[in-house]
Amino acid sequence: MKLFVGLDVSLEKTAICVISEHGKIVKEAQVASEPKALSCWICDQDGAIAAVGLEAGPLSQWLHRGLSDAGRPVVLMETRQVKGALKAMPIKTDRRDAEGIARLLHLGWFRPVHCKSVSAQEVRAVLSPRKAVQQGFITLEMSLRGLLRNFGLKVGTISRGRFEQRIRELAAGNPMLEAATEPMLRARSALRRELAGLERNVRQLSQEDPVCRRLMSMPGIGAVVALTYRSAVDDPARFTSSKKVGPWVGLTPSRNQSGERDISGGITKAGDVNLRRALCQAATVMMYEEGQKTVRGTVFPTIGGRASWLRTWAAKLARRRGAKRAMVGLAHRIAVILHRMWKDDTLPRT
């Protein structure tokens, strides 16, 4: 008898539901969220394990790798689809979620998710702290500006190097403001040093990776964007066509059609949010930053430096549909081109 095993993973315990090939619940249990414990429990079941399914989440990559190494037929299931299906259940518990995952597995109504390699997860482990430190650094600066603004003290436009001196100048002579700003300035200084160290680490990783060096040969693609793309895609062979990368990242228009209604809305925003943000930043750099040395137009900035077919295409699209749509369209094209460069081992077309 074929068995379908659904796992609802939490931090300490994992709810398990086993369903037979006829749709009948065979067994339910709770096991520690450890690959060895789960593998031993699954091995003790009477019957042939057809598939083991778990929802993609924080622990899923680790558990998937451990169960795969133990020889279990495990699959990762797309989070948005699983959550949408489980919403139909009137009562939500871990036990019922495990049953719902097992039934989705039994029916085959699920979308498998790629389990990232260890190297890709390690790269993301470097990019995530960099983003967290950068956000903390910016938050501190904005808090200092808001703190002084309450007293009519305006920091204004100033470089990062002179920011600390400017804050001390504005707070001078007021003991309460000095006592309030000094700890924040010390914390900002520490975050700035750590951020500089992480930036060096990111640049070194990108220079040591041949794939990242190739991706960075495209205008607008820096070390952060290349590493983000490298770690998110992980294996270019899992896309049968480069055109499928755009919808996977969520850079294609959504559609809601029913009867006489047919609405095309904004982008779907599916997939990796960090990769989507990085691609949009790369498109913005290609559209705007390269043109800052020249004159900006009223609709679309004049592109500086060497012209390219991609910039020309984005400029024409911006004049027809607006700069925001052109940025999204350019990000979509960048994602497709980077995948083709990676898969074919080629350089971008000028």
Side-chain angles (χ1 to χ4, degrees):
M1 183 173 59
K2 292 183 179 180
L3 301 177
F4 298 86
V5 183
L7 306 179
D8 183 65
V9 180
S10 61
L11 186 60
E12 298 294 336
K13 296 286 186 179
T14 295
I16 305 177
C17 180
V18 182
I19 289 181
S20 68
E21 56 186 325
H22 305 294
K24 182 181 178 181
I25 296 177
V26 177
K27 195 171 184 180
E28 293 177 314
Q30 269 197 343
V31 181
S33 298
E34 298 286 340
K36 186 176 180 181
L38 290 171
S39 179
C40 292
W41 191 93
I42 294 171
C43 182
D44 293 338
Q45 305 310 305
D46 296 329
I49 304 298
V52 180
L54 67 159
E55 183 183 358
L59 292 176
S60 59
Q61 306 278 343
W62 173 58
L63 293 175
H64 181 278
R65 187 164 55 250
L67 291 173
S68 297
D69 293 342
R72 310 299 170 209
V74 59
V75 292
L76 282 178
M77 306 167 73
E78 205 237 340
T79 304
R80 297 174 70 176
Q81 189 178 21
V82 172
K83 285 186 176 180
L86 296 181
K87 278 184 179 180
M89 304 176 70
I91 299 175
K92 185 186 184 308
T93 61
D94 290 345
R95 175 188 169 191
R96 286 179 173 267
D97 287 350
E99 179 187 349
I101 291 173
R103 294 199 181 278
L104 290 175
L105 199 65
H106 173 237
L107 296 172
W109 195 68
F110 67 92
R111 187 178 298 113
V113 176
H114 172 71
C115 182
K116 290 184 174 57
S117 62
V118 177
S119 60
Q121 294 184 47
E122 289 173 348
V123 171
R124 290 175 69 91
V126 176
L127 292 173
S128 296
R130 175 197 167 273
K131 186 65 177 177
V133 172
Q134 185 184 51
Q135 288 178 343
F137 178 79
I138 295 173
T139 301
L140 273 177
E141 286 194 347
M142 298 304 294
S143 298
L144 284 165
R145 288 176 178 271
L147 178 67
L148 296 176
R149 194 180 299 122
N150 292 329
F151 298 90
L153 303 174
K154 302 176 183 179
V155 179
T157 304
I158 195 168
S159 65
R160 288 279 167 81
R162 295 191 63 251
F163 183 84
E164 186 174 342
Q165 179 184 352
R166 175 63 174 165
I167 296 295
R168 287 197 169 95
E169 289 176 356
L170 293 175
N174 190 323
M176 296 298 290
L177 285 182
E178 291 178 352
T181 56
E182 280 300 325
M184 298 178 71
L185 288 174
R186 289 195 296 268
R188 176 188 176 275
S189 179
L191 286 176
R192 189 181 183 189
R193 289 194 301 270
E194 296 299 331
L195 182 60
L198 289 169
E199 291 283 0
R200 287 193 297 269
N201 195 8
V202 166
R203 286 194 295 270
Q204 182 179 356
L205 285 174
S206 62
Q207 290 298 327
E208 292 175 353
D209 192 303
V211 174
C212 289
R213 289 201 303 269
R214 182 168 297 277
L215 297 181
M216 286 190 294
S217 64
M218 184 174 182
I221 304 300
V224 175
V225 179
L227 282 173
T228 303
Y229 192 91
R230 174 83 162 85
S231 61
V233 175
D234 192 24
D235 181 14
R238 65 192 180 99
F239 295 100
T240 56
S241 172
S242 296
K243 293 181 179 180
K244 295 183 178 181
V245 180
W248 171 73
V249 183
L251 290 171
T252 52
S254 62
R255 186 180 181 187
N256 187 351
Q257 188 274 330
S258 178
E260 302 298 325
R261 184 188 68 212
D262 192 354
I263 302 173
S264 294
I267 58 175
T268 61
K269 295 185 179 180
D272 193 332
V273 61
N274 293 322
L275 176 58
R276 186 167 58 252
R277 186 181 294 116
L279 290 171
C280 290
Q281 289 173 353
T284 302
V285 168
M286 188 177 293
M287 290 171 62
Y288 293 97
E289 297 298 330
E290 295 294 332
Q292 283 184 352
K293 296 180 181 178
T294 60
V295 180
R296 286 177 178 265
T298 56
V299 178
F300 190 78
T302 304
I303 300 299
R306 186 178 61 180
S308 67
W309 69 272
L310 196 57
R311 296 175 186 175
T312 304
W313 173 84
K316 292 179 180 179
L317 181 61
R319 284 191 287 269
R320 293 198 317 268
R321 303 298 303 275
K324 289 186 178 179
R325 287 188 175 90
M327 184 271 293
V328 174
L330 183 57
H332 182 283
R333 279 214 164 185
I334 289 173
V336 174
I337 293 171
L338 290 178
H339 180 268
R340 182 50 53 187
M341 289 170 55
W342 187 357
K343 195 170 183 179
D344 291 350
D345 198 20
T346 55
L347 294 174
R349 180 165 63 91
T350 57

Short mmCIF file of all heavy atoms in Angstrom, two decimals, residues 8-15 30-33 94:
data_model
loop_
_atom_site.label_atom_id
_atom_site.label_comp_id
_atom_site.label_asym_id
_atom_site.label_seq_id
_atom_site.Cartn_x
_atom_site.Cartn_y
_atom_site.Cartn_z
N ASP A 8 3.82 19.03 9.01
CA ASP A 8 3.63 20.44 9.38
C ASP A 8 4.70 20.79 10.40
O ASP A 8 4.62 20.40 11.56
CB ASP A 8 2.23 20.68 9.95
CG ASP A 8 1.99 22.14 10.26
OD1 ASP A 8 1.97 22.95 9.32
OD2 ASP A 8 1.85 22.48 11.45
N VAL A 9 5.70 21.53 9.96
CA VAL A 9 6.91 21.74 10.75
C VAL A 9 6.76 22.98 11.62
O VAL A 9 6.34 24.05 11.15
CB VAL A 9 8.14 21.89 9.82
CG1 VAL A 9 9.41 22.10 10.64
CG2 VAL A 9 8.27 20.66 8.93
N SER A 10 7.13 22.86 12.88
CA SER A 10 7.29 23.99 13.79
C SER A 10 8.68 23.91 14.40
O SER A 10 9.46 23.02 14.07
CB SER A 10 6.20 24.00 14.87
OG SER A 10 6.27 22.82 15.65
N LEU A 11 8.98 24.82 15.31
CA LEU A 11 10.35 24.91 15.82
C LEU A 11 10.76 23.66 16.60
O LEU A 11 11.86 23.14 16.40
CB LEU A 11 10.49 26.15 16.70
CG LEU A 11 11.90 26.47 17.20
CD1 LEU A 11 12.84 26.71 16.02
CD2 LEU A 11 11.88 27.68 18.12
N GLU A 12 9.89 23.17 17.47
CA GLU A 12 10.24 22.04 18.33
C GLU A 12 9.65 20.73 17.85
O GLU A 12 10.30 19.69 17.87
CB GLU A 12 9.79 22.32 19.77
CG GLU A 12 10.44 23.54 20.40
CD GLU A 12 11.93 23.36 20.61
OE1 GLU A 12 12.39 22.19 20.68
OE2 GLU A 12 12.65 24.37 20.67
N LYS A 13 8.37 20.76 17.45
CA LYS A 13 7.66 19.54 17.07
C LYS A 13 7.16 19.63 15.63
O LYS A 13 6.87 20.72 15.12
CB LYS A 13 6.47 19.29 18.01
CG LYS A 13 6.87 19.02 19.46
CD LYS A 13 7.46 17.63 19.63
CE LYS A 13 7.73 17.32 21.10
NZ LYS A 13 8.28 15.96 21.27
N THR A 14 7.02 18.46 15.01
CA THR A 14 6.46 18.36 13.67
C THR A 14 5.26 17.44 13.71
O THR A 14 5.36 16.29 14.14
CB THR A 14 7.50 17.81 12.68
OG1 THR A 14 8.58 18.74 12.56
CG2 THR A 14 6.88 17.60 11.31
N ALA A 15 4.11 17.97 13.27
CA ALA A 15 2.90 17.15 13.19
C ALA A 15 2.94 16.33 11.91
O ALA A 15 3.27 16.84 10.83
CB ALA A 15 1.65 18.04 13.21
N GLN A 30 3.20 13.20 16.49
CA GLN A 30 4.06 14.36 16.65
C GLN A 30 5.47 13.88 16.96
O GLN A 30 5.66 13.06 17.85
CB GLN A 30 3.56 15.28 17.77
CG GLN A 30 2.61 16.35 17.31
CD GLN A 30 2.45 17.47 18.30
OE1 GLN A 30 2.81 17.32 19.47
NE2 GLN A 30 1.92 18.58 17.85
N VAL A 31 6.45 14.41 16.20
CA VAL A 31 7.84 13.99 16.33
C VAL A 31 8.70 15.24 16.42
O VAL A 31 8.32 16.31 15.92
CB VAL A 31 8.27 13.11 15.13
CG1 VAL A 31 9.72 12.63 15.27
CG2 VAL A 31 7.35 11.90 14.99
N ALA A 32 9.85 15.12 17.06
CA ALA A 32 10.79 16.24 17.15
C ALA A 32 11.21 16.68 15.75
O ALA A 32 11.36 15.86 14.84
CB ALA A 32 12.01 15.84 17.97
N SER A 33 11.38 17.98 15.59
CA SER A 33 11.76 18.54 14.29
C SER A 33 13.25 18.33 14.04
O SER A 33 14.04 19.28 13.99
CB SER A 33 11.40 20.04 14.24
OG SER A 33 10.03 20.24 14.38
N ASP A 94 -2.14 22.34 14.00
CA ASP A 94 -1.01 21.66 13.37
C ASP A 94 -1.42 20.30 12.82
O ASP A 94 -0.96 19.87 11.75
CB ASP A 94 0.12 21.48 14.39
CG ASP A 94 0.76 22.81 14.76
OD1 ASP A 94 0.54 23.79 14.03
OD2 ASP A 94 1.49 22.86 15.78
#
